[in-house]
Amino acid sequence: MIFPFVWRVLPGPTALKVIELLLLVAVVVFALFTWVFPFIAADILPPPDGTVDTSATPTP
């Protein structure tokens, strides 16, 4: 499994390992939401329709 490997590789005592692991998870989540998910969504989802219906105006 990957978790025991990461736990052994991280330096420091247990408290520091927990902080490092949380930071590592945050970096992975950030990378997924910044680069991976948009790249996948660009291939799967159709492009958005860029038109705006201006015939209906809101009434005050």
Side-chain angles (χ1 to χ4, degrees):
M1 292 184 62
I2 193 76
F3 184 76
F5 171 74
V6 171
W7 190 258
R8 283 192 311 266
V9 170
L10 291 175
T14 303
L16 183 60
K17 285 184 180 187
V18 169
I19 294 170
E20 291 170 341
L21 190 61
L22 290 174
L23 184 64
L24 184 63
V25 167
V27 167
V28 168
V29 168
F30 177 77
L32 285 173
F33 277 99
T34 304
W35 296 294
V36 177
F37 294 154
F39 179 76
I40 293 172
D43 290 338
I44 295 174
L45 299 175
D49 189 17
T51 60
V52 177
D53 185 17
T54 58
S55 63
T57 57
T59 58

